[in-house]
Amino acid sequence: MPNTIHVAEYLDLDVDSERWHCHSCGQDVGDARDNYKKGLLIHERDPGEVHPPLIDGEFTFAPNPEWIRILEFYCPGCGRQVETEYLPPGHPITHDTEIDLDSLKRKLAAGELRIDEHGKLEVAT
Amino acid sequence: MSYPSLEEKLAALKVSEPTAYERSCLDAVSPGDYEIGVQRTADILDEGYEVFMRSSRSQMGVAGDSIVAMFNAQGDLVNASAGTYLHAVIPPIVIKYILKNFQENPGIADGDIWYTNDALYGGIHNPDQVAIMPVFFEGELVAWTAALSHTTETGACEPGGMPVSAKSRFDEGMNLPPMKIGHDHVLRHDVIEMFAAFGLRSETSVTVDLRARCTTADRVRVRLLEMFAREGKDFVTGLFRRMLIEAEQGARKRLASWPDGVYRCATFSDSAGTEHGLMRNCFMTMTKKDDTLHLDFTGTSPENGSSYNAHPQAVIGHLANYIYEYVFHDLPISSATFQPIDFEFPPNSMLSPAPNAATSCAVMAATGAMSSIANCVGRARFGTTEWRQVTASLGNGGNASVLAGVSQWGMPFADMLAYTINTEGQGARSHSDGINAYGFPWCAFGRAPDVENMENELPMLVPFSQHWPDSGGAGKHRGGVGTAQLWVTHHVPYVVFMSIADNSIVQTPQPLFGGYTMCTCPGLSMEGVDIPELLRAGDEGTLDLASLLAGKYGGQIVSETYARTARPVMSDQVITLGISTGGAGYGDPLDRDPQAVEKDVTDGLISDWSATNVYAVRFNERTGRVDPEATTAFRREALAERKARGKTWDEFHEGWSQRKPPEEVLGLYGSWPDAAVVNPLMRM
Ligand SMILES: [Zn+2]
């Protein structure tokens, strides 16, 4: 059984090779010690394309596109929307998940943690 | 002055060292007796919670936006019944402060009633008030009890206790440091008079809620004494300490299974009181190591000159909302569950402001922290067997409206409309949609009042209440939708209306794993609407949000920010449209089951526009049902289009990193993009 953890809805972490993979299509999306978003495709949208204005005026139910944008992150293999982030224009993309691989490997090897048949971590009892 | 420093506050959240006597009592609690003892504490607190709701007067008190708690002699929280988890972990700051400063003068005695509502000394914001009683058994201090709730009047510069125009704490009305307001089991009459004076706009709710807190704390005290008498001091002392030990072990065990690492979330907001501007209202760096969490808020925007600031313990209170709902839901509400969690707050940020800051809208300032914790914990936890507990952020809009004036019963009043805040949408869950109109993110168990109750208590009519389509964030699993409710002044010449919120320009919660967040909330009212026609349509059930926005009842829509300063609204005029936010979405909307999309359209939870444009579902025009083949083909195309238009990281940054929001909206932000303090803030 591969040493793989299903770490996010659309992300698997291959512990041995230290690579991120798309959970839907298996596409390699990069070094698991780096930000997985670097291995995805990025598209910027006006938030009004998802949240359309419903009335006229300054406050319309749609976020103000000068203040905030939607960044969509796609799997280059299957096109799944792996992540989205609402950011002001130019704001750095968040490095949201930085798993300590050394600690993880140590705890798995020591039998403190184990990976179940669904790719989920649990404390070994 | 001796208000506690940040270090003292954080230290007070930690469980005290057990005394030699407490250690010796642990053996008095055998298995079996322990479980029965724990249940007895819960029963006592549940009784207190019931007493509290029945004896409160303000809408939020009646709705159960409150908590009842018991503590050991040192002031560690042992268990509580809620209501709201907002006040779950912070009352020990106040009790430990009283123990440290007031032992000699005025002294701590049997029958004392202590009280505070000052966030500088450990509260959330000054509408949130706590009555605390020491418990003496055979002449010795053995425990403490407390009852906390939110009262919607503090004598501030605007009605309702949460003034959006306050510039410093000196605009916020009554702020009482911990003080003794009763002795010998009697509440002092001069103190009640002081509350009545500060509560002039709404005297009955202020003084009745005050008495409700005291009587609730006392009921728990009486029941605890019965328990001491029946089970013995050794047993109850040992029980309390064992509860703390077991709660801590339970919390540490839960955290241990999450992968060690660093998890981050950045959230944004659009206003500080009446001033509009972009703020990074939370930058959370959550470091998880072994069985501990470290939460660092460095990178959060600077404090501002409005009431949208929160003292650090108030932020921790907000985190408790999420943590007890989703992480420690099966553990006691206890100081010990927070023992493995440490905090770091940057000085002079909006989450750690100067002592003179206005913080009466702390609940607005802390929405970023509430949203970020859901996101960071969700990311840390999804890879574990606890993945079913992962959700996208709750709405966290807190669109709170206040009405004040003289009611149809001739009574002065100032009250918050509990319906809107108590009907937000839940964040989408990792295995299903968020619950529609699930409740209040600040108080999971708060109840939305019936329309009949609202119309009886307040001088208004409510022509319609409904689920609000497209208010839940889209995704594989959809955020629960919020509600829309219309309010019309009735029975009285006028009411004073104000509203507290942000989220009219940008939304704070980030979605999770490829979903979208909820849309923004404008502050809407209507001028020149045909009210009799509107009421007729309400009776017939044809009145709804869409027909109102389409102008079917004439007049003009007035659109402002949801936060609005106090203003009069004359009789038989639209006060406002109360709207509550939906929850954030989870997962790629193209992964949503097309049948679920069809059902959402049928149920009025999403629009046809969203079904087509966000969920990429195709319908058979003749039957109105999903066309599975056309949908599959359309979605395949949409996936291919994404791959064609998406840019690589480097390509994307060529343009992106050169950009910046307009300079004129960055006045509240701090330095760009790090949100560090640029200029010290001057308050009068
Ligand atoms: Zn893929």
Side-chain angles (χ1 to χ4, degrees), chain A residues 9-10 42 44 49 51 59 61 64 72 74 77 79-81 83-84 86 91 95 98 100 103 107 120-121, chain B residues 260 262 264 280 290 379 382-383 476 505 510 514-517 520 559 586 588 591 642-643 645 647 656 659:
Chain A
E9 180 70 21
Y10 300 111
I42 311 174
E44 179 197 347
E49 293 174 24
H51 312 283
F59 308 104
F61 292 95
N64 186 320
E72 298 179 343
Y74 310 136
R80 282 275 158 336
Q81 188 158 289
E83 270 299 334
T84 45
Y86 287 58
H91 187 282
H95 188 179
E98 206 176 327
D100 182 342
S103 154
K107 288 179 183 186
K120 296 296 185 186
L121 279 172
Chain B
D260 287 353
V262 182
R264 296 183 188 85
R280 190 154 78 175
D290 300 329
R379 293 181 193 285
F382 187 83
K476 174 182 176 182
I505 305 171
Q510 293 286 357
Y516 294 107
T517 200
T520 47
S559 167
Y586 175 105
D588 186 348
D591 270 355
R642 285 176 176 174
K643 284 166 62 177
R645 72 183 177 221
K647 294 179 178 170
W656 181 257
R659 289 163 57 191

Short mmCIF file of all heavy atoms in Angstrom, two decimals, chain A residues 9-10 42 44 49 51 59 61 64 72 74 77 79-81 83-84 86 91 95 98 100 103 107 120-121, chain B residues 260 262 264 280 290 379 382-383 476 505 510 514-517 520 559 586 588 591 642-643 645 647 656 659:
data_model
loop_
_atom_site.label_atom_id
_atom_site.label_comp_id
_atom_site.label_asym_id
_atom_site.label_seq_id
_atom_site.Cartn_x
_atom_site.Cartn_y
_atom_site.Cartn_z
N GLU A 9 -9.03 18.07 -0.14
CA GLU A 9 -10.05 17.50 -1.03
C GLU A 9 -9.44 17.03 -2.34
O GLU A 9 -9.75 15.96 -2.84
CB GLU A 9 -11.14 18.55 -1.28
CG GLU A 9 -12.28 18.11 -2.18
CD GLU A 9 -13.21 17.07 -1.56
OE1 GLU A 9 -13.26 16.95 -0.32
OE2 GLU A 9 -13.90 16.35 -2.34
N TYR A 10 -8.52 17.84 -2.91
CA TYR A 10 -7.97 17.49 -4.22
C TYR A 10 -6.46 17.27 -4.18
O TYR A 10 -5.79 17.41 -5.19
CB TYR A 10 -8.31 18.58 -5.23
CG TYR A 10 -9.80 18.76 -5.41
CD1 TYR A 10 -10.43 19.93 -4.97
CD2 TYR A 10 -10.59 17.77 -6.00
CE1 TYR A 10 -11.80 20.09 -5.12
CE2 TYR A 10 -11.96 17.92 -6.15
CZ TYR A 10 -12.56 19.09 -5.71
OH TYR A 10 -13.93 19.25 -5.85
N ILE A 42 -3.01 29.14 -12.50
CA ILE A 42 -3.68 30.22 -11.76
C ILE A 42 -4.46 31.09 -12.73
O ILE A 42 -3.97 31.46 -13.79
CB ILE A 42 -2.65 31.10 -11.00
CG1 ILE A 42 -1.70 30.20 -10.20
CG2 ILE A 42 -3.38 32.08 -10.08
CD1 ILE A 42 -0.57 30.97 -9.51
N GLU A 44 -7.09 34.61 -12.63
CA GLU A 44 -7.66 35.70 -11.84
C GLU A 44 -9.03 36.09 -12.39
O GLU A 44 -9.20 36.18 -13.59
CB GLU A 44 -6.74 36.91 -11.91
CG GLU A 44 -7.26 38.10 -11.14
CD GLU A 44 -6.58 39.40 -11.55
OE1 GLU A 44 -5.55 39.36 -12.24
OE2 GLU A 44 -7.12 40.45 -11.18
N GLU A 49 -18.04 38.02 -11.59
CA GLU A 49 -18.34 36.90 -12.49
C GLU A 49 -18.94 35.72 -11.72
O GLU A 49 -19.58 34.85 -12.31
CB GLU A 49 -17.07 36.43 -13.21
CG GLU A 49 -16.50 37.46 -14.17
CD GLU A 49 -15.16 37.00 -14.75
OE1 GLU A 49 -14.90 35.77 -14.77
OE2 GLU A 49 -14.37 37.87 -15.14
N HIS A 51 -20.24 36.36 -8.26
CA HIS A 51 -21.24 37.00 -7.39
C HIS A 51 -21.77 38.22 -8.14
O HIS A 51 -21.30 39.32 -7.94
CB HIS A 51 -20.60 37.45 -6.08
CG HIS A 51 -19.74 36.42 -5.41
ND1 HIS A 51 -20.27 35.37 -4.71
CD2 HIS A 51 -18.40 36.27 -5.34
CE1 HIS A 51 -19.29 34.62 -4.23
NE2 HIS A 51 -18.14 35.14 -4.60
N PHE A 59 -23.09 49.67 -3.72
CA PHE A 59 -23.13 48.42 -2.94
C PHE A 59 -24.20 47.52 -3.55
O PHE A 59 -25.39 47.81 -3.47
CB PHE A 59 -23.42 48.72 -1.47
CG PHE A 59 -22.47 49.76 -0.93
CD1 PHE A 59 -22.89 51.07 -0.73
CD2 PHE A 59 -21.15 49.44 -0.66
CE1 PHE A 59 -22.02 52.04 -0.26
CE2 PHE A 59 -20.27 50.40 -0.19
CZ PHE A 59 -20.70 51.72 0.01
N PHE A 61 -24.28 43.70 -3.78
CA PHE A 61 -24.17 42.25 -3.51
C PHE A 61 -22.89 41.66 -4.11
O PHE A 61 -22.53 40.54 -3.80
CB PHE A 61 -25.37 41.43 -4.01
CG PHE A 61 -26.66 41.70 -3.29
CD1 PHE A 61 -27.58 42.61 -3.77
CD2 PHE A 61 -26.95 41.03 -2.10
CE1 PHE A 61 -28.78 42.86 -3.10
CE2 PHE A 61 -28.15 41.26 -1.43
CZ PHE A 61 -29.05 42.18 -1.93
N ASN A 64 -16.35 44.46 -4.40
CA ASN A 64 -15.79 45.52 -5.23
C ASN A 64 -14.51 45.02 -5.92
O ASN A 64 -13.54 44.66 -5.25
CB ASN A 64 -15.47 46.73 -4.35
CG ASN A 64 -15.01 47.92 -5.16
OD1 ASN A 64 -14.26 47.77 -6.12
ND2 ASN A 64 -15.47 49.10 -4.77
N GLU A 72 -8.18 31.56 -8.83
CA GLU A 72 -8.56 30.15 -8.93
C GLU A 72 -7.32 29.34 -9.28
O GLU A 72 -6.54 29.74 -10.15
CB GLU A 72 -9.64 29.98 -10.02
CG GLU A 72 -10.91 30.76 -9.69
CD GLU A 72 -12.01 30.66 -10.76
OE1 GLU A 72 -11.70 30.26 -11.90
OE2 GLU A 72 -13.15 30.97 -10.44
N TYR A 74 -6.00 25.71 -10.59
CA TYR A 74 -6.48 24.51 -11.28
C TYR A 74 -5.39 23.44 -11.35
O TYR A 74 -4.21 23.74 -11.53
CB TYR A 74 -6.86 24.84 -12.73
CG TYR A 74 -7.78 26.02 -12.92
CD1 TYR A 74 -7.52 26.95 -13.94
CD2 TYR A 74 -8.92 26.20 -12.14
CE1 TYR A 74 -8.36 28.03 -14.16
CE2 TYR A 74 -9.77 27.28 -12.36
CZ TYR A 74 -9.48 28.19 -13.36
OH TYR A 74 -10.31 29.26 -13.59
N GLY A 77 -3.54 18.77 -14.78
CA GLY A 77 -3.91 17.51 -15.41
C GLY A 77 -5.38 17.46 -15.79
O GLY A 77 -5.74 17.25 -16.94
N GLY A 79 -7.91 19.89 -14.60
CA GLY A 79 -8.66 21.15 -14.55
C GLY A 79 -9.48 21.36 -13.30
O GLY A 79 -10.21 22.35 -13.18
N ARG A 80 -9.40 20.42 -12.33
CA ARG A 80 -10.14 20.60 -11.07
C ARG A 80 -9.73 21.92 -10.40
O ARG A 80 -8.57 22.29 -10.43
CB ARG A 80 -9.85 19.47 -10.08
CG ARG A 80 -10.57 18.16 -10.35
CD ARG A 80 -11.94 18.17 -9.74
NE ARG A 80 -12.90 17.24 -10.34
CZ ARG A 80 -12.91 16.72 -11.54
NH1 ARG A 80 -11.96 17.00 -12.40
NH2 ARG A 80 -13.85 15.89 -11.93
N GLN A 81 -10.68 22.58 -9.78
CA GLN A 81 -10.38 23.79 -9.02
C GLN A 81 -9.94 23.36 -7.62
O GLN A 81 -10.74 23.15 -6.73
CB GLN A 81 -11.62 24.68 -8.97
CG GLN A 81 -11.39 26.04 -8.38
CD GLN A 81 -12.46 27.01 -8.83
OE1 GLN A 81 -12.50 27.41 -9.99
NE2 GLN A 81 -13.36 27.38 -7.94
N GLU A 83 -8.08 24.94 -5.41
CA GLU A 83 -8.17 25.99 -4.39
C GLU A 83 -8.72 27.26 -5.02
O GLU A 83 -8.68 27.43 -6.24
CB GLU A 83 -6.78 26.33 -3.81
CG GLU A 83 -6.38 25.52 -2.60
CD GLU A 83 -7.31 25.70 -1.41
OE1 GLU A 83 -7.95 26.77 -1.31
OE2 GLU A 83 -7.39 24.78 -0.58
N THR A 84 -9.21 28.15 -4.16
CA THR A 84 -9.55 29.52 -4.56
C THR A 84 -9.07 30.41 -3.43
O THR A 84 -8.98 29.97 -2.28
CB THR A 84 -11.08 29.70 -4.69
OG1 THR A 84 -11.67 29.09 -3.55
CG2 THR A 84 -11.63 29.08 -5.95
N TYR A 86 -9.53 34.66 -2.17
CA TYR A 86 -10.00 36.03 -2.43
C TYR A 86 -8.92 36.97 -1.92
O TYR A 86 -8.70 37.06 -0.70
CB TYR A 86 -11.32 36.29 -1.70
CG TYR A 86 -12.53 35.59 -2.30
CD1 TYR A 86 -12.57 34.21 -2.42
CD2 TYR A 86 -13.64 36.32 -2.73
CE1 TYR A 86 -13.69 33.56 -2.97
CE2 TYR A 86 -14.76 35.69 -3.26
CZ TYR A 86 -14.77 34.31 -3.38
OH TYR A 86 -15.89 33.69 -3.91
N HIS A 91 -1.72 41.18 -3.82
CA HIS A 91 -1.40 40.61 -2.50
C HIS A 91 -0.74 39.24 -2.68
O HIS A 91 -1.18 38.43 -3.49
CB HIS A 91 -2.68 40.47 -1.68
CG HIS A 91 -2.44 40.06 -0.26
ND1 HIS A 91 -2.16 38.75 0.09
CD2 HIS A 91 -2.41 40.77 0.89
CE1 HIS A 91 -1.98 38.68 1.41
NE2 HIS A 91 -2.13 39.89 1.92
N HIS A 95 0.78 30.86 1.45
CA HIS A 95 1.35 29.50 1.57
C HIS A 95 0.58 28.84 2.72
O HIS A 95 0.98 28.94 3.88
CB HIS A 95 2.84 29.60 1.86
CG HIS A 95 3.55 28.28 1.81
ND1 HIS A 95 4.90 28.15 2.02
CD2 HIS A 95 3.10 27.02 1.56
CE1 HIS A 95 5.25 26.86 1.92
NE2 HIS A 95 4.17 26.17 1.65
N GLU A 98 1.98 23.88 5.05
CA GLU A 98 3.42 23.60 5.04
C GLU A 98 3.66 22.45 6.02
O GLU A 98 3.88 22.66 7.20
CB GLU A 98 4.13 24.88 5.52
CG GLU A 98 5.53 25.05 5.06
CD GLU A 98 6.10 26.40 5.52
OE1 GLU A 98 5.34 27.40 5.62
OE2 GLU A 98 7.29 26.45 5.83
N ASP A 100 5.30 19.50 7.99
CA ASP A 100 6.64 19.16 8.46
C ASP A 100 6.91 17.69 8.11
O ASP A 100 6.54 16.78 8.85
CB ASP A 100 6.71 19.40 9.97
CG ASP A 100 8.10 19.10 10.53
OD1 ASP A 100 8.90 18.40 9.86
OD2 ASP A 100 8.38 19.57 11.65
N SER A 103 9.08 15.49 10.56
CA SER A 103 8.33 15.04 11.73
C SER A 103 7.35 13.92 11.35
O SER A 103 7.24 12.91 12.04
CB SER A 103 7.58 16.22 12.34
OG SER A 103 6.45 15.78 13.04
N LYS A 107 7.38 10.15 12.83
CA LYS A 107 6.26 9.60 13.61
C LYS A 107 5.68 8.35 12.96
O LYS A 107 5.23 7.44 13.65
CB LYS A 107 5.18 10.67 13.81
CG LYS A 107 5.63 11.74 14.80
CD LYS A 107 4.59 12.82 15.02
CE LYS A 107 5.14 13.88 15.96
NZ LYS A 107 4.17 14.88 16.34
N LYS A 120 -5.92 8.21 5.59
CA LYS A 120 -6.09 9.18 6.67
C LYS A 120 -5.20 8.83 7.85
O LYS A 120 -5.08 7.66 8.24
CB LYS A 120 -7.56 9.21 7.11
CG LYS A 120 -8.52 9.69 6.02
CD LYS A 120 -8.26 11.12 5.63
CE LYS A 120 -9.29 11.66 4.64
NZ LYS A 120 -8.94 13.01 4.16
N LEU A 121 -4.61 9.87 8.45
CA LEU A 121 -3.72 9.67 9.59
C LEU A 121 -4.50 9.41 10.86
O LEU A 121 -5.57 10.00 11.08
CB LEU A 121 -2.91 10.95 9.84
CG LEU A 121 -1.68 11.22 8.99
CD1 LEU A 121 -1.18 12.63 9.28
CD2 LEU A 121 -0.58 10.18 9.27
N ASP B 260 2.13 17.58 11.93
CA ASP B 260 2.86 18.78 12.34
C ASP B 260 3.08 19.66 11.12
O ASP B 260 3.29 19.16 10.01
CB ASP B 260 4.22 18.39 12.93
CG ASP B 260 4.09 17.76 14.31
OD1 ASP B 260 2.96 17.76 14.85
OD2 ASP B 260 5.11 17.27 14.84
N VAL B 262 2.89 24.10 9.49
CA VAL B 262 2.46 25.48 9.60
C VAL B 262 1.31 25.70 8.63
O VAL B 262 1.40 25.32 7.46
CB VAL B 262 3.62 26.44 9.27
CG1 VAL B 262 3.18 27.89 9.44
CG2 VAL B 262 4.83 26.14 10.16
N ARG B 264 -1.65 28.60 7.27
CA ARG B 264 -1.87 30.05 7.27
C ARG B 264 -3.18 30.41 6.59
O ARG B 264 -3.65 29.70 5.71
CB ARG B 264 -0.73 30.76 6.52
CG ARG B 264 0.63 30.63 7.15
CD ARG B 264 1.68 31.43 6.39
NE ARG B 264 3.02 31.13 6.91
CZ ARG B 264 3.75 30.09 6.50
NH1 ARG B 264 3.30 29.26 5.56
NH2 ARG B 264 4.95 29.87 7.03
N ARG B 280 -6.44 43.94 6.48
CA ARG B 280 -6.20 42.50 6.61
C ARG B 280 -6.61 42.19 8.04
O ARG B 280 -5.80 42.31 8.96
CB ARG B 280 -4.72 42.20 6.32
CG ARG B 280 -4.45 40.72 6.20
CD ARG B 280 -3.23 40.43 5.34
NE ARG B 280 -1.98 40.67 6.07
CZ ARG B 280 -0.77 40.40 5.57
NH1 ARG B 280 -0.64 39.89 4.36
NH2 ARG B 280 0.30 40.67 6.29
N ASP B 290 3.39 18.35 17.68
CA ASP B 290 3.01 17.30 18.63
C ASP B 290 1.58 17.52 19.13
O ASP B 290 0.67 17.52 18.33
CB ASP B 290 4.03 17.23 19.78
CG ASP B 290 5.43 16.91 19.24
OD1 ASP B 290 5.50 16.20 18.22
OD2 ASP B 290 6.42 17.41 19.80
N ARG B 379 -7.41 22.62 7.19
CA ARG B 379 -6.27 22.14 6.42
C ARG B 379 -5.42 21.16 7.24
O ARG B 379 -4.87 20.20 6.70
CB ARG B 379 -5.40 23.32 5.96
CG ARG B 379 -6.09 24.19 4.95
CD ARG B 379 -5.21 25.34 4.49
NE ARG B 379 -6.00 26.32 3.76
CZ ARG B 379 -6.46 26.15 2.52
NH1 ARG B 379 -6.18 25.04 1.86
NH2 ARG B 379 -7.20 27.08 1.95
N PHE B 382 -7.81 17.69 7.69
CA PHE B 382 -8.45 16.91 6.63
C PHE B 382 -7.73 15.59 6.37
O PHE B 382 -8.35 14.59 6.00
CB PHE B 382 -8.54 17.73 5.34
CG PHE B 382 -9.33 17.03 4.27
CD1 PHE B 382 -10.72 17.10 4.26
CD2 PHE B 382 -8.70 16.24 3.31
CE1 PHE B 382 -11.46 16.42 3.31
CE2 PHE B 382 -9.44 15.55 2.34
CZ PHE B 382 -10.82 15.65 2.35
N GLY B 383 -6.41 15.59 6.56
CA GLY B 383 -5.63 14.37 6.29
C GLY B 383 -5.70 13.34 7.40
O GLY B 383 -4.93 12.39 7.43
N LYS B 476 -18.65 22.20 -4.38
CA LYS B 476 -19.09 20.80 -4.43
C LYS B 476 -20.12 20.59 -3.32
O LYS B 476 -21.15 19.94 -3.49
CB LYS B 476 -17.88 19.89 -4.22
CG LYS B 476 -18.23 18.43 -4.12
CD LYS B 476 -16.96 17.62 -3.85
CE LYS B 476 -17.28 16.15 -3.66
NZ LYS B 476 -16.05 15.39 -3.36
N ILE B 505 -18.44 45.54 1.00
CA ILE B 505 -17.51 45.78 -0.11
C ILE B 505 -16.68 44.53 -0.40
O ILE B 505 -16.48 44.15 -1.55
CB ILE B 505 -16.59 46.98 0.20
CG1 ILE B 505 -17.43 48.21 0.55
CG2 ILE B 505 -15.65 47.27 -0.98
CD1 ILE B 505 -16.64 49.39 1.08
N GLN B 510 -12.59 33.12 3.86
CA GLN B 510 -12.05 32.44 2.68
C GLN B 510 -12.79 31.11 2.53
O GLN B 510 -13.13 30.47 3.52
CB GLN B 510 -10.55 32.16 2.84
CG GLN B 510 -9.66 33.40 2.88
CD GLN B 510 -9.47 34.06 1.51
OE1 GLN B 510 -9.97 33.57 0.49
NE2 GLN B 510 -8.76 35.19 1.50
N GLY B 514 -11.30 24.98 -3.03
CA GLY B 514 -11.82 25.22 -4.37
C GLY B 514 -13.25 25.70 -4.44
O GLY B 514 -13.79 25.86 -5.53
N GLY B 515 -13.89 25.97 -3.30
CA GLY B 515 -15.23 26.55 -3.32
C GLY B 515 -15.13 28.06 -3.46
O GLY B 515 -14.05 28.62 -3.63
N TYR B 516 -16.29 28.72 -3.43
CA TYR B 516 -16.34 30.18 -3.39
C TYR B 516 -16.91 30.61 -2.05
O TYR B 516 -17.61 29.85 -1.37
CB TYR B 516 -17.22 30.73 -4.51
CG TYR B 516 -16.67 30.46 -5.90
CD1 TYR B 516 -17.25 29.51 -6.73
CD2 TYR B 516 -15.55 31.15 -6.36
CE1 TYR B 516 -16.74 29.27 -8.00
CE2 TYR B 516 -15.03 30.91 -7.63
CZ TYR B 516 -15.62 29.96 -8.44
OH TYR B 516 -15.12 29.71 -9.68
N THR B 517 -16.61 31.86 -1.70
CA THR B 517 -17.20 32.36 -0.46
C THR B 517 -18.56 33.00 -0.78
O THR B 517 -19.06 32.89 -1.90
CB THR B 517 -16.22 33.32 0.27
OG1 THR B 517 -16.60 33.40 1.63
CG2 THR B 517 -16.22 34.71 -0.34
N THR B 520 -21.37 39.70 -1.01
CA THR B 520 -21.37 40.78 -0.02
C THR B 520 -22.80 41.19 0.33
O THR B 520 -23.75 40.82 -0.36
CB THR B 520 -20.61 42.00 -0.57
OG1 THR B 520 -21.06 42.26 -1.89
CG2 THR B 520 -19.12 41.74 -0.58
N SER B 559 -29.26 52.03 -1.35
CA SER B 559 -28.22 51.06 -1.04
C SER B 559 -27.04 51.76 -0.37
O SER B 559 -26.46 52.69 -0.93
CB SER B 559 -27.78 50.38 -2.34
OG SER B 559 -26.59 49.68 -2.15
N TYR B 586 -17.35 24.79 -0.27
CA TYR B 586 -16.30 23.78 -0.14
C TYR B 586 -16.20 22.98 -1.44
O TYR B 586 -17.21 22.44 -1.93
CB TYR B 586 -16.67 22.84 1.01
CG TYR B 586 -15.74 21.66 1.22
CD1 TYR B 586 -14.84 21.64 2.28
CD2 TYR B 586 -15.77 20.57 0.36
CE1 TYR B 586 -14.00 20.57 2.47
CE2 TYR B 586 -14.93 19.48 0.55
CZ TYR B 586 -14.03 19.49 1.61
OH TYR B 586 -13.20 18.43 1.79
N ASP B 588 -14.78 22.14 -5.59
CA ASP B 588 -15.04 22.66 -6.93
C ASP B 588 -16.52 22.58 -7.27
O ASP B 588 -17.11 21.49 -7.25
CB ASP B 588 -14.21 21.81 -7.92
CG ASP B 588 -14.28 22.35 -9.35
OD1 ASP B 588 -15.11 23.23 -9.63
OD2 ASP B 588 -13.48 21.85 -10.18
N ASP B 591 -17.88 19.90 -9.43
CA ASP B 591 -18.02 18.57 -8.86
C ASP B 591 -19.37 18.38 -8.17
O ASP B 591 -19.65 17.31 -7.62
CB ASP B 591 -16.92 18.31 -7.83
CG ASP B 591 -15.69 17.68 -8.46
OD1 ASP B 591 -15.75 17.37 -9.67
OD2 ASP B 591 -14.68 17.51 -7.76
N ARG B 642 -10.46 25.90 -18.41
CA ARG B 642 -9.60 26.29 -17.28
C ARG B 642 -8.13 26.02 -17.60
O ARG B 642 -7.26 26.85 -17.35
CB ARG B 642 -9.98 25.50 -16.04
CG ARG B 642 -11.27 25.95 -15.37
CD ARG B 642 -11.55 25.00 -14.23
NE ARG B 642 -12.71 25.38 -13.46
CZ ARG B 642 -13.20 24.62 -12.48
NH1 ARG B 642 -12.64 23.46 -12.20
NH2 ARG B 642 -14.25 25.01 -11.80
N LYS B 643 -7.88 24.82 -18.14
CA LYS B 643 -6.50 24.45 -18.43
C LYS B 643 -5.91 25.38 -19.49
O LYS B 643 -4.72 25.70 -19.45
CB LYS B 643 -6.43 22.99 -18.90
CG LYS B 643 -6.58 22.02 -17.73
CD LYS B 643 -6.85 20.59 -18.15
CE LYS B 643 -5.73 19.99 -18.97
NZ LYS B 643 -6.05 18.56 -19.29
N ARG B 645 -6.83 28.61 -19.99
CA ARG B 645 -6.64 30.00 -19.56
C ARG B 645 -5.72 30.15 -18.34
O ARG B 645 -5.22 31.23 -18.06
CB ARG B 645 -7.99 30.64 -19.28
CG ARG B 645 -8.67 30.15 -18.03
CD ARG B 645 -10.03 30.77 -17.83
NE ARG B 645 -10.66 30.22 -16.65
CZ ARG B 645 -11.95 29.89 -16.56
NH1 ARG B 645 -12.75 30.06 -17.57
NH2 ARG B 645 -12.43 29.40 -15.43
N LYS B 647 -2.61 30.25 -15.86
CA LYS B 647 -1.20 30.59 -16.07
C LYS B 647 -0.34 29.84 -15.05
O LYS B 647 -0.81 29.53 -13.95
CB LYS B 647 -0.98 32.09 -15.87
CG LYS B 647 -1.67 32.95 -16.91
CD LYS B 647 -1.41 34.42 -16.59
CE LYS B 647 -2.05 35.31 -17.65
NZ LYS B 647 -2.01 36.71 -17.25
N TRP B 656 0.79 40.11 -11.74
CA TRP B 656 0.18 40.22 -10.41
C TRP B 656 1.05 40.99 -9.42
O TRP B 656 0.56 41.87 -8.71
CB TRP B 656 -0.11 38.82 -9.90
CG TRP B 656 -0.78 38.76 -8.56
CD1 TRP B 656 -0.18 38.45 -7.36
CD2 TRP B 656 -2.16 39.00 -8.27
NE1 TRP B 656 -1.11 38.48 -6.36
CE2 TRP B 656 -2.33 38.81 -6.88
CE3 TRP B 656 -3.27 39.35 -9.04
CZ2 TRP B 656 -3.57 38.97 -6.25
CZ3 TRP B 656 -4.50 39.51 -8.41
CH2 TRP B 656 -4.64 39.32 -7.03
N ARG B 659 0.91 44.82 -9.09
CA ARG B 659 -0.34 45.53 -8.80
C ARG B 659 -0.54 45.81 -7.33
O ARG B 659 0.13 45.27 -6.47
CB ARG B 659 -1.52 44.72 -9.37
CG ARG B 659 -1.52 44.78 -10.89
CD ARG B 659 -2.37 43.72 -11.50
NE ARG B 659 -3.76 43.79 -11.02
CZ ARG B 659 -4.64 42.84 -11.25
NH1 ARG B 659 -4.29 41.75 -11.91
NH2 ARG B 659 -5.86 42.97 -10.80
#
